Amino acid sequence: LVKTHNLLTTRNYIFGYHPHGIMGLGAFCNFSTEATGVSQKFPGIRPYLATLAGNFRMPILRDYLMSGGICPVNRDSIDYILSKNGSGNAIIIVVGGAAESLNCTPGKNSVTLKNRKGFVKLALRHGADLVPVYSFGENEVYKQVIFEEGSWGRWVQKKFQKHIGFAPCIFHGRGLFSSNTWGLLPYSKPITTVVGEPITIPKIDNPSQKDVDFYHSIYVDSLIKLFDKYKSKFGLPETEVLEVN
Protein backbone atom coordinates (compact mmCIF):
# COMPACT_ATOMS: atom_id res chain seq x y z
CA LEU A 1 0.00 0.00 0.00
CA VAL A 2 1.59 3.26 -1.16
CA LYS A 3 0.48 6.56 0.35
CA THR A 4 1.07 9.66 -1.78
CA HIS A 5 -0.88 12.32 0.18
CA ASN A 6 -2.27 12.87 3.65
CA LEU A 7 -6.02 12.57 4.17
CA LEU A 8 -7.82 14.96 6.51
CA THR A 9 -9.92 13.37 9.22
CA THR A 10 -12.37 16.26 8.90
CA ARG A 11 -13.41 15.07 5.43
CA ASN A 12 -15.11 11.97 4.04
CA TYR A 13 -13.81 10.16 0.97
CA ILE A 14 -14.81 7.87 -1.86
CA PHE A 15 -11.87 5.83 -3.14
CA GLY A 16 -12.25 4.66 -6.74
CA TYR A 17 -10.35 1.36 -6.90
CA HIS A 18 -8.96 0.11 -10.24
CA PRO A 19 -8.74 -2.45 -11.75
CA HIS A 20 -11.17 -5.06 -10.44
CA GLY A 21 -9.10 -8.09 -11.40
CA ILE A 22 -10.68 -11.48 -10.77
CA MET A 23 -11.25 -11.09 -7.03
CA GLY A 24 -10.09 -7.59 -6.10
CA LEU A 25 -7.41 -9.01 -3.83
CA GLY A 26 -5.56 -5.70 -3.52
CA ALA A 27 -8.70 -3.94 -2.35
CA PHE A 28 -9.46 -6.62 0.23
CA CYS A 29 -5.95 -7.04 1.63
CA ASN A 30 -5.18 -3.31 1.83
CA PHE A 31 -8.48 -1.89 3.04
CA SER A 32 -10.24 -4.72 4.91
CA THR A 33 -7.24 -6.07 6.79
CA GLU A 34 -4.21 -4.59 8.50
CA ALA A 35 -1.84 -6.64 6.32
CA THR A 36 -0.26 -3.47 4.92
CA GLY A 37 -0.90 -1.14 7.85
CA VAL A 38 -3.70 1.02 6.45
CA SER A 39 -4.55 2.50 9.87
CA GLN A 40 -0.93 3.58 10.41
CA LYS A 41 -0.58 5.10 6.96
CA PHE A 42 -3.92 6.90 7.14
CA PRO A 43 -4.46 7.55 10.87
CA GLY A 44 -8.01 8.52 11.79
CA ILE A 45 -9.47 7.28 8.51
CA ARG A 46 -12.00 4.40 8.67
CA PRO A 47 -12.04 2.38 5.41
CA TYR A 48 -15.18 0.57 4.23
CA LEU A 49 -14.78 -1.68 1.21
CA ALA A 50 -18.04 -1.91 -0.75
CA THR A 51 -19.05 -5.18 -2.42
CA LEU A 52 -22.13 -6.78 -3.99
CA ALA A 53 -25.17 -6.77 -1.71
CA GLY A 54 -25.81 -10.41 -2.63
CA ASN A 55 -22.73 -11.47 -0.67
CA PHE A 56 -24.51 -10.45 2.56
CA ARG A 57 -27.31 -12.96 1.99
CA MET A 58 -24.99 -15.88 2.72
CA PRO A 59 -24.71 -16.99 6.36
CA ILE A 60 -21.22 -16.91 7.88
CA LEU A 61 -19.79 -15.14 4.81
CA ARG A 62 -21.92 -12.13 5.74
CA ASP A 63 -20.44 -11.96 9.24
CA TYR A 64 -16.92 -12.46 7.93
CA LEU A 65 -17.32 -9.58 5.48
CA MET A 66 -18.81 -7.26 8.09
CA SER A 67 -15.97 -8.01 10.50
CA GLY A 68 -13.61 -6.51 7.91
CA GLY A 69 -15.66 -3.32 7.61
CA ILE A 70 -17.09 -4.38 4.26
CA CYS A 71 -20.47 -2.94 3.32
CA PRO A 72 -22.97 -3.42 0.47
CA VAL A 73 -22.33 -1.22 -2.56
CA ASN A 74 -25.79 0.30 -2.53
CA ARG A 75 -27.06 3.83 -2.04
CA ASP A 76 -28.56 3.29 1.42
CA SER A 77 -25.33 1.98 2.92
CA ILE A 78 -23.15 4.63 1.31
CA ASP A 79 -25.56 7.43 2.23
CA TYR A 80 -25.52 6.29 5.87
CA ILE A 81 -21.73 6.14 6.13
CA LEU A 82 -21.23 9.51 4.47
CA SER A 83 -24.00 11.38 6.30
CA LYS A 84 -24.60 9.78 9.70
CA ASN A 85 -21.22 8.37 10.67
CA GLY A 86 -19.26 11.56 11.24
CA SER A 87 -16.11 12.38 9.27
CA GLY A 88 -12.94 10.45 8.50
CA ASN A 89 -14.78 7.74 6.54
CA ALA A 90 -13.46 6.30 3.29
CA ILE A 91 -15.64 4.09 1.12
CA ILE A 92 -13.70 2.01 -1.39
CA ILE A 93 -15.71 1.30 -4.55
CA VAL A 94 -14.33 -1.01 -7.23
CA VAL A 95 -15.77 1.16 -9.98
CA GLY A 96 -15.38 -1.22 -12.93
CA GLY A 97 -17.25 -4.04 -11.20
CA ALA A 98 -18.17 -7.28 -12.93
CA ALA A 99 -17.88 -5.79 -16.42
CA GLU A 100 -14.23 -4.97 -15.81
CA SER A 101 -13.45 -8.42 -14.45
CA LEU A 102 -14.36 -9.95 -17.83
CA ASN A 103 -11.40 -8.24 -19.48
CA CYS A 104 -8.72 -8.67 -16.83
CA THR A 105 -5.75 -10.68 -17.98
CA PRO A 106 -2.00 -10.61 -17.23
CA GLY A 107 -0.18 -7.86 -19.09
CA LYS A 108 -3.31 -5.75 -19.67
CA ASN A 109 -4.02 -2.43 -17.97
CA SER A 110 -7.56 -1.30 -18.76
CA VAL A 111 -10.41 0.12 -16.69
CA THR A 112 -14.16 0.37 -17.23
CA LEU A 113 -14.86 3.98 -16.32
CA LYS A 114 -16.24 6.15 -19.14
CA ASN A 115 -19.89 5.49 -18.29
CA ARG A 116 -19.43 4.80 -14.57
CA LYS A 117 -20.52 8.08 -12.99
CA GLY A 118 -22.75 7.08 -10.09
CA PHE A 119 -19.90 7.29 -7.59
CA VAL A 120 -19.21 10.86 -8.67
CA LYS A 121 -22.85 11.81 -8.11
CA LEU A 122 -22.74 10.29 -4.62
CA ALA A 123 -19.57 12.25 -3.86
CA LEU A 124 -21.25 15.50 -4.92
CA ARG A 125 -24.39 14.83 -2.90
CA HIS A 126 -22.33 14.35 0.27
CA GLY A 127 -19.36 16.61 -0.47
CA ALA A 128 -17.02 13.62 -0.17
CA ASP A 129 -13.62 13.97 -1.81
CA LEU A 130 -12.76 11.56 -4.61
CA VAL A 131 -9.50 9.60 -4.43
CA PRO A 132 -8.17 7.63 -7.44
CA VAL A 133 -6.52 4.32 -6.52
CA TYR A 134 -4.64 2.03 -8.90
CA SER A 135 -3.30 -1.44 -8.11
CA PHE A 136 -0.34 -2.47 -10.22
CA GLY A 137 -0.28 -6.26 -10.52
CA GLU A 138 -3.95 -6.91 -9.76
CA ASN A 139 -4.44 -8.51 -13.17
CA GLU A 140 -1.31 -10.66 -12.86
CA VAL A 141 -2.34 -13.02 -10.05
CA TYR A 142 -4.83 -15.09 -12.07
CA LYS A 143 -5.08 -16.24 -15.69
CA GLN A 144 -8.46 -16.02 -17.38
CA VAL A 145 -10.03 -17.34 -20.57
CA ILE A 146 -11.17 -14.20 -22.41
CA PHE A 147 -14.24 -14.58 -24.62
CA GLU A 148 -14.40 -12.17 -27.54
CA GLU A 149 -17.32 -9.80 -27.99
CA GLY A 150 -20.09 -11.57 -29.90
CA SER A 151 -19.07 -15.06 -28.82
CA TRP A 152 -21.43 -17.42 -26.98
CA GLY A 153 -19.19 -17.34 -23.92
CA ARG A 154 -19.37 -13.54 -23.63
CA TRP A 155 -23.15 -13.70 -24.16
CA VAL A 156 -23.53 -16.07 -21.21
CA GLN A 157 -21.28 -13.91 -19.03
CA LYS A 158 -23.26 -10.76 -19.80
CA LYS A 159 -26.57 -12.49 -19.08
CA PHE A 160 -25.29 -13.54 -15.65
CA GLN A 161 -23.96 -10.04 -15.03
CA LYS A 162 -27.30 -8.45 -15.93
CA HIS A 163 -29.58 -10.72 -13.92
CA ILE A 164 -27.41 -11.85 -10.99
CA GLY A 165 -24.91 -9.03 -10.57
CA PHE A 166 -21.65 -10.87 -11.19
CA ALA A 167 -20.02 -12.35 -14.26
CA PRO A 168 -18.83 -15.98 -14.20
CA CYS A 169 -15.17 -15.99 -15.21
CA ILE A 170 -13.19 -19.05 -16.28
CA PHE A 171 -9.86 -18.60 -14.56
CA HIS A 172 -7.14 -20.40 -12.65
CA GLY A 173 -4.26 -19.67 -10.36
CA ARG A 174 -1.66 -21.98 -8.91
CA GLY A 175 -2.05 -25.19 -6.94
CA LEU A 176 -1.58 -25.56 -3.21
CA PHE A 177 1.79 -27.31 -3.36
CA SER A 178 3.24 -26.25 -6.70
CA SER A 179 3.14 -23.20 -8.94
CA ASN A 180 3.26 -25.58 -11.92
CA THR A 181 -0.21 -26.95 -11.20
CA TRP A 182 -3.58 -25.27 -11.60
CA GLY A 183 -5.62 -24.23 -8.59
CA LEU A 184 -7.44 -21.33 -6.95
CA LEU A 185 -4.53 -19.81 -5.09
CA PRO A 186 -3.23 -16.59 -6.67
CA TYR A 187 0.15 -16.66 -8.37
CA SER A 188 2.87 -15.14 -6.22
CA LYS A 189 2.99 -11.81 -8.03
CA PRO A 190 3.24 -8.49 -6.18
CA ILE A 191 0.22 -6.18 -6.04
CA THR A 192 1.13 -2.57 -5.31
CA THR A 193 -1.83 -0.32 -4.51
CA VAL A 194 -1.16 3.40 -4.93
CA VAL A 195 -3.57 5.84 -3.27
CA GLY A 196 -3.56 9.09 -5.23
CA GLU A 197 -4.22 12.72 -4.40
CA PRO A 198 -7.75 13.55 -3.19
CA ILE A 199 -9.92 15.68 -5.45
CA THR A 200 -11.87 18.29 -3.48
CA ILE A 201 -15.58 17.92 -4.18
CA PRO A 202 -18.23 20.52 -3.26
CA LYS A 203 -21.51 19.50 -1.63
CA ILE A 204 -24.40 19.81 -4.09
CA ASP A 205 -27.70 18.32 -2.90
CA ASN A 206 -29.02 17.85 -6.43
CA PRO A 207 -26.06 17.83 -8.83
CA SER A 208 -26.82 18.35 -12.49
CA GLN A 209 -25.50 16.07 -15.21
CA LYS A 210 -23.10 18.86 -16.15
CA ASP A 211 -21.70 18.87 -12.60
CA VAL A 212 -21.30 15.09 -12.65
CA ASP A 213 -19.61 15.09 -16.05
CA PHE A 214 -17.22 17.87 -15.01
CA TYR A 215 -15.93 16.14 -11.89
CA HIS A 216 -15.92 12.75 -13.61
CA SER A 217 -13.56 14.13 -16.25
CA ILE A 218 -11.29 15.52 -13.52
CA TYR A 219 -11.29 12.10 -11.85
CA VAL A 220 -10.41 10.26 -15.09
CA ASP A 221 -7.52 12.67 -15.76
CA SER A 222 -6.25 12.21 -12.19
CA LEU A 223 -6.33 8.41 -12.50
CA ILE A 224 -4.39 8.49 -15.78
CA LYS A 225 -1.80 10.85 -14.27
CA LEU A 226 -1.44 8.56 -11.25
CA PHE A 227 -0.90 5.55 -13.52
CA ASP A 228 1.65 7.38 -15.69
CA LYS A 229 3.59 8.67 -12.68
CA TYR A 230 4.09 5.27 -11.04
CA LYS A 231 3.97 2.75 -13.91
CA SER A 232 7.74 2.56 -14.50
CA LYS A 233 8.44 2.31 -10.76
CA PHE A 234 6.33 -0.85 -10.54
CA GLY A 235 7.58 -2.78 -13.55
CA LEU A 236 5.77 -1.32 -16.55
CA PRO A 237 7.49 0.31 -19.54
CA GLU A 238 7.19 4.06 -20.08
CA THR A 239 5.27 3.33 -23.28
CA GLU A 240 2.45 1.55 -21.40
CA VAL A 241 -0.88 3.36 -21.71
CA LEU A 242 -3.88 2.95 -19.41
CA GLU A 243 -6.89 1.97 -21.52
CA VAL A 244 -10.08 3.69 -20.33
CA ASN A 245 -13.29 2.06 -21.62
Side-chain angles (χ1 to χ4, degrees), residues 81-175:
I81 292 171
L82 295 180
S83 65
K84 295 182 173 62
N85 201 39
S87 59
N89 303 293
I91 297 178
I92 298 88
I93 299 177
V94 186
V95 178
E100 192 172 84
S101 68
L102 296 178
N103 295 317
C104 69
T105 186
K108 186 173 183 178
N109 288 283
S110 67
V111 296
T112 301
L113 182 57
K114 281 184 180 178
N115 297 316
R116 300 295 175 105
K117 301 180 180 181
F119 73 105
V120 178
K121 189 173 184 178
L122 280 170
L124 286 165
R125 289 179 64 245
H126 294 284
D129 293 348
L130 289 172
V131 182
V133 179
Y134 196 86
S135 273
F136 296 90
E138 183 71 65
N139 287 344
E140 310 298 317
V141 295
Y142 286 105
K143 295 179 181 178
Q144 179 182 192
V145 176
I146 302 293
F147 294 101
E148 298 296 328
E149 289 291 340
S151 66
W152 68 269
R154 182 54 64 97
W155 179 85
V156 170
Q157 288 176 321
K158 286 188 173 181
K159 285 294 183 183
F160 264 83
Q161 179 190 335
K162 180 179 179 180
H163 296 291
I164 300 179
F166 72 92
C169 301
I170 300 177
F171 68 94
H172 70 84
R174 55 160 292 167

Side-chain angles (χ1 to χ4, degrees), residues 8 11 36 51 55 84 98 102 114 182 194 204 231 245:
L8 300 175
R11 300 285 293 172
T36 54
T51 187
N55 290 331
K84 295 182 173 62
L102 296 178
K114 281 184 180 178
W182 288 11
V194 184
I204 305 175
K231 60 186 178 183
N245 300 311

Side-chain angles (χ1 to χ4, degrees), residues 188-201:
S188 53
K189 304 285 186 179
I191 297 177
T192 306
T193 302
V194 184
V195 180
E197 181 178 4
I199 303 164
T200 303
I201 302 294

Side-chain angles (χ1 to χ4, degrees), residues 40-115:
Q40 283 74 44
K41 291 178 180 176
F42 298 103
I45 301 297
R46 296 181 296 275
Y48 298 88
L49 176 61
T51 187
L52 290 174
N55 290 331
F56 293 87
R57 299 190 183 101
M58 304 180 194
I60 300 177
L61 175 62
R62 169 186 181 274
D63 301 282
Y64 177 74
L65 294 176
M66 292 179 70
S67 71
I70 299 177
C71 67
V73 62
N74 58 36
R75 180 171 168 175
D76 289 342
S77 298
I78 295 173
D79 281 347
Y80 179 85
I81 292 171
L82 295 180
S83 65
K84 295 182 173 62
N85 201 39
S87 59
N89 303 293
I91 297 178
I92 298 88
I93 299 177
V94 186
V95 178
E100 192 172 84
S101 68
L102 296 178
N103 295 317
C104 69
T105 186
K108 186 173 183 178
N109 288 283
S110 67
V111 296
T112 301
L113 182 57
K114 281 184 180 178
N115 297 316

Side-chain angles (χ1 to χ4, degrees), residues 30-43:
N30 285 305
F31 300 114
S32 289
T33 77
E34 280 295 328
T36 54
V38 62
S39 63
Q40 283 74 44
K41 291 178 180 176
F42 298 103

